[in-house]
Amino acid sequence: MTTSTRDTPPEGTGTTGTRRGSGTPEDRAGGDGRLRRAVTVLLTERVVLLGALLAVLLVWMKVLDSGGYLLAPYDLTYLASALETMVPLCILGLAELLVMVSGRGGIDLSVGAMVSLTGMAFGYTVSEWGWSPLMAVPATLAAGALLGAVNGFLVARLGFPALIATLATYYAYSSLSLVSSGNRPISTAPVRELHDLTSRVPLPGLPALPMQVFTFLLPCAVLVWLLVNRSTFGRKLYGVGTNDVAARFANVPVVSVRLRAFMLSGLLSAVVAIVTVGQFASARPDAGTVGNGMALPAITIAVLGGVAITGGIGRVGGVVVAALLVAWLNAGILLAFEGSQGSRTQLLALGVLLVCSALLNSVTARRLGGGR
């Protein structure tokens, strides 16, 4: 009796008729699914992606440091000192998060000008009026909220495009800060004593960290996180940013929500003003607008952190990690290039980061929207 060839497995196969090592279609589908899920996590979970990029940056800079390609050591002490530049930009990135999440192209170009103007107000209250910091700080925060309310009134109540409204107030606030002191900084003894607000905190076994990380940055990050994730205002903010028409039908006060978002942006700008006065030991009328200003880096950090310019999308964690990435990248660039080449390369790096982050946000939106 002969055996049918159909009953004999082909050479080089198992009993199921599949080639060894190729796996079943279900296994291959499972592997592809895991890969797609990993890619989706990298795109949608911006903190994961930024954390990976941060690790790559640190490893790459360490390789350059070991090879002697840097002007100075890229070590923990240097990274700790770089946090001084991270603190104001991260807080302003959180301010941009609030207005961008509110939707309708929400963006605040005036944050740097508000830093300058409220910083001058802080300097005057301490230096000219003799107020103690305990009185001057709340007054400065109130001034920032008032300046932000002007932006909110123009955008939310009068319907001006946020880009035009905040550009106009940028010019107005910058001019007022320059005129208020005759373009001269305030550096009297009471103002110089405010440098203690930004002294360094020694840590056991670690480099000393700037005090403003603990006294300003962490409280602001926690409060903004609680506001957007654990409050009724936060739910309304994301709802308005996602679809303000549907929010109106749901009886959400759209105008009030957007107005408060811009007020909070002004409040956070005033916090940055207090930090910068302490860092410089003087109130400078161009503190937030000198050079390329603080607004554009803050917007870059917000977009890099996953905040969508169209509104309704953005997380505090993404903004914080993005600010850390930008600060340590800029610090590494300064060590890799001599003289003014470092600052010019920083601008190029920020531009590349902004384009790449905008592309990532576009890809993420398409994936979340089912490929539309």
Side-chain angles (χ1 to χ4, degrees):
M1 181 177 179
T2 60
T3 304
S4 171
T5 57
R6 288 178 297 180
D7 298 330
T8 305
E11 183 180 356
T13 64
T15 56
T16 59
T18 59
R19 293 190 181 275
R20 292 189 182 96
S22 63
T24 63
E26 289 79 5
D27 292 336
R28 293 193 296 273
D32 293 342
R34 286 191 293 271
L35 179 60
R36 285 194 295 268
R37 284 195 295 272
V39 173
T40 301
V41 167
L42 281 176
L43 289 176
T44 57
E45 298 295 333
R46 187 57 61 88
V47 175
V48 177
L49 176 61
L50 293 174
L53 292 176
L54 188 60
V56 170
L57 171 66
L58 294 177
V59 172
W60 177 246
M61 296 306 300
K62 189 63 179 178
V63 170
L64 294 178
D65 190 9
S66 301
Y69 295 102
L70 301 180
L71 302 176
Y74 191 81
D75 52 14
L76 289 178
T77 302
Y78 184 67
L79 292 177
S81 64
L83 296 180
E84 290 186 359
T85 62
M86 172 205 169
V87 171
L89 293 181
C90 184
I91 296 176
L92 290 182
L94 295 175
E96 295 293 347
L97 178 145
L98 292 170
V99 296
M100 291 168 69
V101 166
S102 68
R104 285 294 178 94
I107 196 170
D108 195 344
L109 295 177
S110 68
V111 289
M114 288 191 289
V115 169
S116 297
L117 186 53
T118 55
M120 295 304 296
F122 185 50
Y124 270 113
T125 54
V126 173
S127 176
E128 304 297 330
W129 300 350
W131 291 13
S132 68
L134 291 179
M135 297 176 58
V137 168
T140 303
L141 297 179
L146 178 61
L147 297 179
V150 173
N151 289 335
F153 179 79
L154 294 175
V155 174
R157 182 67 65 180
L158 300 184
F160 283 23
L163 185 67
I164 302 301
T166 58
L167 182 61
T169 55
Y170 164 82
Y171 290 128
Y173 297 159
S174 298
S175 176
L176 288 174
S177 62
L178 293 173
V179 171
S180 64
S181 66
N183 200 17
R184 293 188 301 271
I186 302 174
S187 55
T188 58
V191 175
R192 290 196 299 271
E193 293 174 358
L194 296 173
H195 187 63
D196 294 337
L197 296 173
T198 57
S199 60
R200 293 182 177 270
V201 179
L203 298 176
L206 293 173
L209 294 180
M211 182 183 292
Q212 57 265 36
V213 172
F214 305 100
T215 55
F216 292 98
L217 176 58
L218 291 181
C220 285
V222 171
L223 289 175
V224 173
W225 184 87
L226 291 174
L227 182 68
V228 300
N229 291 284
R230 293 292 184 270
S231 72
T232 303
F233 171 75
R235 290 191 293 271
K236 292 178 180 178
L237 182 67
Y238 281 94
V240 168
T242 302
N243 190 330
D244 56 358
V245 176
R248 285 191 178 90
F249 279 112
N251 292 324
V252 175
V254 174
V255 172
S256 175
V257 168
R258 285 207 174 104
L259 178 62
R260 282 182 284 174
F262 278 93
M263 286 183 62
L264 290 171
S265 177
L267 180 67
L268 291 173
S269 299
V271 173
V272 174
I274 297 169
V275 173
T276 55
V277 170
Q279 285 180 340
F280 299 141
S282 67
R284 294 171 42 181
D286 60 349
T289 57
V290 63
N292 297 287
M294 291 182 173
L296 296 183
I299 295 169
T300 302
I301 287 171
V303 177
L304 180 62
V307 183
I309 192 67
T310 53
I313 298 174
R315 295 184 179 180
V316 171
V319 173
V320 173
V321 180
L324 187 62
L325 176 62
V326 169
W328 282 354
L329 174 62
N330 285 339
I333 290 174
L334 289 179
L335 294 184
F337 298 91
E338 295 183 0
S340 60
Q341 291 182 351
S343 59
R344 291 196 295 265
T345 307
Q346 283 180 341
L347 295 177
L348 174 62
L350 279 177
V352 172
L353 281 176
L354 184 58
V355 171
C356 292
S357 58
L359 289 175
L360 281 174
N361 286 353
S362 177
V363 172
T364 302
R366 285 199 298 268
R367 279 185 170 270
L368 294 176
R372 292 190 296 271

